Amino acid sequence: MKSPQPTICLSASSLISFLFYGLGITCLTSATVYASYGGNEMALLSFKSRITHDPYKVLTSWNHSFQFCNWSGISCGKRHKRVTAVQLFSFQGTIPHELGRLSSLGGLGLHINKFTGVIPTNLSHCYNLEDLWLALNNLAGSIPKEMSLLSKLSRLVIRESKLTGGISHFLWNITTMEWFDASGNQFGGSIPDTLDICNQLPNLEFLQLWGNELTGVLPPSLSNCSKLGYLEMSDNNFGGKLTIDFSNLRDIYIIKLHSYNFHGCGDANDMTFIDSLKNCTRLITLNHYNCSLTGVLPISIGNLSHRLSILALGDNHLFGSLPSSIGSLVGLTALELKHNRFKGKIPTTIGKLQKLQYLDLASNQFSGTIPYAIRNLSLSTELCLDSNKLEGHIPSSLGNCKELNKLNFSHNRLSGNVPKQLLQLPLLSNFLDLSYNRMSGSIPSEIKDLKMLSYLDLSYNNLSGTITSSLGECISLTMLNLRGHIFQGIIPSSLSSLRGLRVLDISQNKLSGKIPQFLDKWNSLEFLNLSFNDFEGEVPVVGVFANTSAFWILGNNKLCGGLVTLDSVYKEILDSDDDRCVAIKVLHLHNRGAHKSFLAECEAWQNIRHRNVLKTITSCSSVDFQGNDLKAMVYEFMSNGSVHDWLHSSTFNSKLNLLQRINILRDVATALDYLQNRCQTTIVHGDLKPSNVTLDDDMVAHVGDFGLARLLGAYLNQSSSAGVKGTIGYAPLEYGIGSEMTSCGDIYSFGILLLEVMTGKKPTDNMFSEGLSLHKFAYMALPDHVIDVIDNDAIVMQSTEANARKVEECLAATIKIGVSCSVDSPPQRMKIEIVIHEV
Ligand SMILES: *[C@@H]1O[C@H](CO)[C@@H](O)[C@H](O)[C@H]1NC(C)=O
Ligand SMILES: *[C@@H]1O[C@H](CO)[C@@H](O)[C@H](O)[C@H]1NC(C)=O
Ligand SMILES: *[C@@H]1O[C@H](CO)[C@@H](O)[C@H](O)[C@H]1NC(C)=O
Ligand SMILES: *[C@@H]1O[C@H](CO)[C@@H](O)[C@H](O)[C@H]1NC(C)=O
Ligand SMILES: *[C@@H]1O[C@H](CO)[C@@H](O)[C@H](O)[C@H]1NC(C)=O
Ligand SMILES: *[C@@H]1O[C@H](CO)[C@@H](O)[C@H](O)[C@H]1NC(C)=O
Ligand SMILES: *[C@@H]1O[C@H](CO)[C@@H](O)[C@H](O)[C@H]1NC(C)=O
């Protein structure tokens, strides 16, 4: 330093200042005042008088009983008995303007306290001040312009308070300035560039203004700050073309400009600044994350400093290939290029980056294979290549990267087996995600070696076989996703040891057997998805199964029971009648608003009792998490599924025989007759079809969902004169032209249902086009060729010709009913009273 200084800090180099500052932040809550001369007692006493909060009663010792050098927290120089430093803790209050009387004060460190108020203008009287550290307080107001009088000030650190105003150009008049850190305040406006900043501040080494609200471009004159080492301007509202020429900044070692908005510069390539960094041989960090940078990464990237350790260019619009010269940056420990549009291969030269610990190339369009040379990244702890177009096998050479603890290769086109070497990485503890690829084969038993792994996502590949029981040894798992494979067999009992699991998704597989007992005993389980498998038996009601928003079991036709609660209603039923199975139909309605009529109608249906009408146990209405109406109906459980299932799916091993079919039709007709003629008011079904007819243990048919079509129509805001009603194929013509739903319409649907049951053909079958319909198909077979249209599965060879003749007559009579019911003209359709006598 220039003048002889007795104080400890004033002779410090900026490195020592940095340590002092760093330690101050991390270790102490302190206030430091250090002055060059004695005779400061009065000033110290004034300081004392301004302090409102001194929790450790440090300042009681500041009294006339002792000389001030003996006051608590005060240090004096040995020879001259002058105050050199004051260390104090946890102060509140304002900064006493009396400090301005310490005209010989060389350094003032009041960082990390709770000072409020403004920076006292009087401080400008301390014209010997070289260090002013006011960071981490609650100071408000702007920087007093009188500060420009501090002609010896070399370090001004005012970060992380609540200061406002602008970075005024008078600051550039303090020609001695070496460090200026005003980060984390609320400074706004643009940085004035009226002078050549660094002609004024030739010693500027450290400039940090991150986390303010500054606008405009960075002053191009920073190009002349040849001593600048540290430049961090991130997280402001800066924008526009970057016009700083870095070629003169030979000492710069940190450049952090993330969130600088290059967007809209109109330049085809924002990346040319890379060329100007060639001479910055000390560069360690270059962070241009999230800067809306557009352009290609120039080959000259490889000419940057060999010391470059961190290169972050993620969240930009960079395109083209990743130049192989990247391999020249042998000092890199972190390379972060995610969320860009890079394409082409990952260069094999990446293998030269042997110090790399963190590689993130996610969300680009990299294609080709993962280079074998990735084995060279033996120090890497995190490898993210997800969301690209990578293909081929995962190189087993990855087994060489023994430090890996997080690996994400998801959302690519990777194929082949899961290499066992991957599962034997000794430190893989954090994260392994291979989801959304094309991997095949089974899960290697080596998975048991992942004893420390917390997060494992293998979902949506083509893995097959059984779920290996060795997975049970991955005892640290908190999240396991095996969704969307072709796994078969049962959930292995060894999984019972995965007690720390919070999320388990094994949906969309071909798993079968019962839901294992242990699942409801895991206390930490918060989400369980068993949907779309072939599980059977009772769904438990405790543990994770007690919370209906925590488990998913849809698409397992053989499951029954369980809670599908929407509010307290279901629990009651299920508690009072534990071993009864119920079927629950949840109607998601994508419109909002409570409709009391729903409940009212459902209640009416609950009072209907008939052998062939599906019993509604209860219904309820709620609102789902998106605010949509959620309606649910609870029905009696029908163990034999629906007529549709018997006719068209492979759910059941056998087929319906003729007698069963006739009985079903008779049951349906009886139900319709009841609804039309024997209830207090006529009830219109509106959507009669085979999937709405379910069969109980004794194959007795029960018609369900009546009235629902009409009600839904009302919900979906389809007025009675327009909109689709019923189901295509089963709804009569007149519904299509705006007619109300009627009993007559139900007869039509019944006719079609009858013909479908008898012929095994859906009305929407591909064969029914160009004028041919199921009705016409059946009509044309009457009276003599009926046997040709009957479902083959229904016909059993008859022993005698007389019997065969009788069966044919019966079939013809049945088909005739179906045809009569499904004529286009409503008045000509058969009456249900007649149907029930004929069937
Ligand atoms: C003055 O300071 C001494 C300690 O240095 C303390 O013991 C004494 O109580 C203080 N006197 C008053 C009046 O606060
Ligand atoms: C900056 O310094 C120049 C002279 O060096 C002076 O004329 C000017 O008034 C100063 N500006 C401020 C704001 O102090
Ligand atoms: C750098 O300083 C020179 C000499 O003072 C000046 O001519 C030039 O304009 C400055 N450059 C920038 C970008 O301010
Ligand atoms: C790098 O420094 C040399 C002098 O050592 C200079 O001639 C050259 O122009 C500089 N290069 C760049 C790109 O600024
Ligand atoms: C830049 O790097 C390439 C190799 O990647 C080298 O051939 C070239 O000479 C370098 N240029 C400079 C200016 O260092
Ligand atoms: C991988 O590292 C070895 C030395 O450990 C080196 O010889 C080889 O060139 C590297 N591979 C690549 C592609 O850089
Ligand atoms: C449960 O799994 C099924 C099938 O994979 C899926 O459709 C559903 O969205 C999953 N549920 C949740 C809440 O993720």
Side-chain angles (χ1 to χ4, degrees):
M1 292 295 130
K2 290 120 276 166
S3 48
Q5 299 291 342
T7 72
I8 46 170
C9 286
L10 297 185
S11 60
S13 71
S14 38
L15 180 66
I16 293 175
S17 295
F18 183 79
L19 288 175
F20 162 69
Y21 180 38
L23 285 176
I25 290 173
T26 52
C27 309
L28 293 173
T29 301
S30 66
T32 309
V33 178
Y34 44 103
S36 350
Y37 307 114
N40 303 136
E41 187 175 304
M42 282 307 289
L44 292 174
L45 287 174
S46 314
F47 180 91
K48 175 181 173 179
S49 71
R50 286 300 188 98
I51 297 302
T52 60
H53 187 67
D54 175 14
Y56 303 104
K57 300 278 179 270
V58 176
L59 299 185
T60 38
S61 74
W62 289 25
N63 61 49
H64 296 294
S65 314
F66 294 93
Q67 207 261 335
F68 65 81
C69 283
N70 295 321
W71 290 356
S72 175
I74 302 282
S75 308
C76 285
K78 281 206 174 90
R79 260 182 332 128
H80 302 292
K81 295 290 172 201
R82 297 163 183 152
V83 174
T84 55
V86 180
Q87 289 268 348
L88 300 168
F89 301 92
S90 294
F91 286 98
Q92 282 178 11
T94 56
I95 299 178
H97 63 83
E98 288 83 355
L99 283 174
R101 288 196 224 150
L102 298 173
S103 60
S104 47
L105 195 68
L108 176 61
L110 300 179
H111 49 296
I112 324 182
N113 279 289
K114 292 175 181 168
F115 286 113
T116 50
V118 298
I119 300 175
T121 311
N122 273 5
L123 280 182
S124 64
H125 296 218
C126 307
Y127 56 85
N128 278 309
L129 207 56
E130 291 200 6
D131 281 72
L132 180 55
W133 300 73
L134 303 176
L136 293 129
N137 280 291
N138 293 320
L139 298 171
S142 56
I143 308 173
K145 67 175 188 304
E146 290 78 3
M147 293 305 226
S148 68
L149 299 172
L150 293 173
S151 60
K152 294 182 183 174
L153 193 65
S154 59
R155 282 169 287 268
L156 177 57
V157 179
I158 48 176
R159 65 192 267 175
E160 294 177 77
S161 266
K162 292 175 178 161
L163 297 167
T164 52
I167 303 296
S168 315
H169 57 87
F170 63 79
L171 282 168
W172 301 159
N173 263 15
I174 309 174
T175 56
T176 46
M177 190 79 87
E178 293 171 13
W179 282 48
F180 179 51
D181 181 356
S183 308
N185 282 287
Q186 293 157 21
F187 291 114
S190 59
I191 300 180
D193 194 29
T194 48
L195 305 160
D196 286 353
I197 287 172
C198 287
N199 287 355
Q200 299 287 110
L201 310 182
N203 299 318
L204 192 65
E205 286 174 23
F206 187 104
L207 181 59
Q208 256 198 343
L209 293 171
W210 56 260
N212 281 290
E213 290 153 23
L214 297 166
T215 56
V217 294
L218 289 183
S221 58
L222 286 173
S223 314
N224 273 341
C225 298
S226 57
K227 289 197 179 164
L228 196 62
Y230 196 117
L231 177 66
E232 178 164 10
M233 304 293 230
S234 319
D235 296 318
N236 279 287
N237 300 322
F238 291 123
K241 195 169 167 58
L242 187 67
T243 49
I244 299 177
D245 175 3
F246 291 96
S247 54
N248 278 331
L249 309 186
R250 288 159 182 275
D251 289 336
I252 201 155
Y253 58 97
I254 305 275
I255 302 175
K256 293 188 186 178
L257 296 183
H258 57 81
S259 305
Y260 185 102
N261 187 6
F262 284 79
H263 191 71
C265 308
D267 203 322
N269 197 348
D270 296 329
M271 297 305 287
T272 48
F273 76 92
I274 294 285
D275 290 334
S276 81
L277 289 167
K278 280 183 199 167
N279 278 356
C280 307
T281 52
R282 298 183 176 184
L283 194 62
I284 293 173
T285 297
L286 180 64
N287 186 342
H288 276 43
Y289 180 82
N290 184 28
C291 285
S292 309
L293 284 166
T294 306
V296 296
L297 194 59
I299 294 172
S300 58
I301 189 76
N303 293 100
L304 300 195
S305 162
H306 285 191
R307 298 190 196 177
L308 189 66
S309 172
I310 296 173
L311 177 61
L313 296 172
D315 271 300
N316 284 297
H317 311 299
L318 303 180
F319 52 86
S321 60
L322 177 59
S324 62
S325 61
I326 195 86
S328 304
L329 299 178
V330 291
L332 280 184
T333 59
L335 176 59
E336 195 271 315
L337 301 174
K338 72 176 175 209
H339 291 292
N340 278 292
R341 300 199 301 260
F342 285 113
K343 60 182 179 192
K345 292 192 164 188
I346 298 174
T348 52
T349 52
I350 209 124
K352 292 190 186 158
L353 306 179
Q354 300 194 10
K355 292 186 180 166
L356 207 60
Q357 293 172 29
Y358 174 92
L359 175 63
D360 193 344
L361 305 180
S363 299
N364 279 287
Q365 295 162 26
F366 286 112
S367 56
T369 55
I370 299 174
Y372 177 83
I374 207 152
R375 76 187 303 280
N376 273 16
L377 309 186
S378 58
L379 296 181
S380 58
T381 58
E382 239 180 279
L383 213 50
C384 300
L385 305 181
D386 49 299
S387 302
N388 280 290
K389 296 174 176 173
L390 297 168
E391 57 192 29
H393 295 202
I394 295 178
S396 58
S397 67
L398 259 178
N400 197 41
C401 304
K402 300 224 183 308
E403 304 285 327
L404 276 176
N405 74 55
K406 176 177 173 180
L407 188 132
N408 191 346
F409 286 174
S410 66
H411 294 269
N412 276 293
R413 297 165 182 178
L414 298 167
S415 55
N417 294 339
V418 178
K420 62 174 193 289
Q421 291 83 352
L422 196 63
L423 307 177
Q424 289 171 321
L425 290 168
L427 298 180
L428 197 61
S429 54
N430 193 337
F431 191 96
L432 173 59
D433 190 347
L434 303 178
S435 64
Y436 290 91
N437 276 292
R438 296 166 185 176
M439 321 256 332
S440 54
S442 54
I443 302 179
S445 63
E446 283 79 5
I447 195 123
K448 69 177 187 315
D449 294 332
L450 291 175
K451 295 204 172 25
M452 304 202 304
L453 186 68
S454 165
Y455 185 107
L456 176 61
D457 191 347
L458 300 176
S459 62
Y460 292 109
N461 278 284
N462 293 321
L463 299 181
S464 56
T466 55
I467 293 181
T468 171
S469 61
S470 48
L471 199 54
E473 296 187 40
C474 303
I475 48 173
S476 303
L477 283 178
T478 58
M479 155 38 228
L480 174 61
N481 193 341
L482 301 176
R483 183 196 280 199
H485 292 277
I486 34 184
F487 289 124
Q488 301 178 352
I490 58 164
I491 301 178
S493 60
S494 66
L495 294 200
S496 64
S497 53
L498 304 184
R499 288 197 187 83
L501 268 187
R502 300 221 302 266
V503 173
L504 175 61
D505 192 335
I506 50 175
S507 64
Q508 281 188 50
N509 278 291
K510 295 186 169 161
L511 297 166
S512 53
K514 296 208 158 137
I515 296 178
Q517 296 261 326
F518 58 78
L519 283 182
D520 59 34
K521 298 193 175 58
W522 288 343
N523 293 330
S524 51
L525 198 61
E526 292 160 7
F527 176 89
L528 174 67
N529 199 337
L530 305 175
S531 301
F532 298 102
N533 277 291
D534 199 19
F535 292 116
E536 63 186 45
E538 196 100 17
V539 179
V541 292
V542 294
V544 69
F545 298 97
N547 177 355
T548 52
S549 52
F551 74 96
W552 302 79
I553 52 169
L554 203 78
N556 286 281
N557 292 336
K558 298 177 200 159
L559 284 180
C560 68
L563 300 180
V564 186
T565 346
L566 297 170
D567 51 46
S568 56
V569 176
Y570 285 93
K571 270 217 181 82
E572 269 171 40
I573 310 166
L574 294 163
D575 286 350
S576 65
D577 203 353
D578 255 351
D579 38 46
R580 175 164 58 173
C581 279
V582 297
I584 292 165
K585 183 164 220 149
V586 176
L587 314 169
H588 276 274
L589 301 173
H590 296 279
N591 64 348
R592 290 160 195 230
H595 296 268
K596 286 192 183 127
S597 62
F598 177 87
L599 289 183
E601 296 225 20
C602 293
E603 228 163 84
W605 297 340
Q606 282 166 49
N607 295 329
I608 297 173
R609 295 283 133 103
H610 187 271
R611 176 176 186 269
N612 300 118
V613 171
L614 188 63
K615 195 160 143 203
T616 312
I617 298 171
T618 189
S619 56
C620 64
S621 171
S622 182
V623 174
D624 74 5
F625 57 92
Q626 289 173 322
N628 293 317
D629 271 355
L630 195 64
K631 310 288 174 198
M633 310 283 301
V634 183
Y635 295 114
E636 258 180 309
F637 180 72
M638 293 286 124
S639 57
N640 270 321
S642 74
V643 172
H644 173 93
D645 295 339
W646 282 91
L647 292 176
H648 305 296
S649 82
S650 51
T651 315
F652 300 99
N653 291 329
S654 58
K655 289 285 175 181
L656 293 169
N657 65 36
L658 194 56
L659 185 64
Q660 284 172 324
R661 292 180 200 231
I662 299 287
N663 283 339
I664 287 168
L665 293 172
R666 184 175 294 133
D667 289 340
V668 175
T670 311
L672 268 190
D673 176 49
Y674 172 78
L675 295 171
Q676 292 189 2
N677 302 320
R678 288 165 222 285
C679 288
Q680 277 183 343
T681 57
T682 297
I683 294 175
V684 177
H685 188 293
D687 196 16
L688 191 61
K689 58 185 175 186
S691 57
N692 279 340
V693 179
T694 44
L695 302 172
D696 67 16
D697 290 347
D698 304 320
M699 297 300 279
V700 173
H702 301 249
V703 178
D705 280 0
F706 46 88
L708 223 53
R710 184 167 48 84
L711 201 66
L712 281 180
Y715 267 95
L716 300 174
N717 235 348
Q718 290 167 350
S719 73
S720 55
S721 61
V724 181
K725 299 191 192 85
T727 304
I728 290 176
Y730 304 93
L733 215 57
E734 67 267 21
Y735 286 6
I737 54 169
S739 154
E740 290 281 352
M741 291 187 188
T742 57
S743 301
C744 241
D746 280 350
I747 297 289
Y748 177 91
S749 306
F750 172 77
I752 296 296
L753 179 142
L754 182 151
L755 295 178
E756 179 170 343
V757 168
M758 297 308 289
T759 64
K761 301 227 179 314
K762 293 181 205 172
T764 50
D765 193 293
N766 285 338
M767 71 181 283
F768 301 129
S769 61
E770 293 171 15
L772 185 64
S773 64
L774 178 57
H775 169 87
K776 207 160 189 179
F777 173 70
Y779 173 74
M780 291 189 311
L782 286 172
D784 299 328
H785 306 286
V786 169
I787 198 76
D788 298 335
V789 299
I790 298 295
D791 189 353
N792 281 337
D793 292 321
I795 300 171
V796 181
M797 286 296 273
Q798 299 300 320
S799 51
T800 66
E801 204 169 305
N803 271 355
R805 184 85 226 132
K806 225 164 135 190
V807 168
E808 274 188 51
E809 276 170 22
C810 164
L811 288 174
T814 311
I815 291 291
K816 202 170 157 190
I817 296 170
V819 168
S820 311
C821 288
S822 58
V823 292
D824 282 345
S825 160
Q828 284 171 20
R829 291 176 198 153
M830 216 169 186
K831 294 274 173 293
I832 197 69
E833 307 85 281
I834 302 171
V835 173
I836 56 170
H837 290 295
E838 304 262 326
V839 184

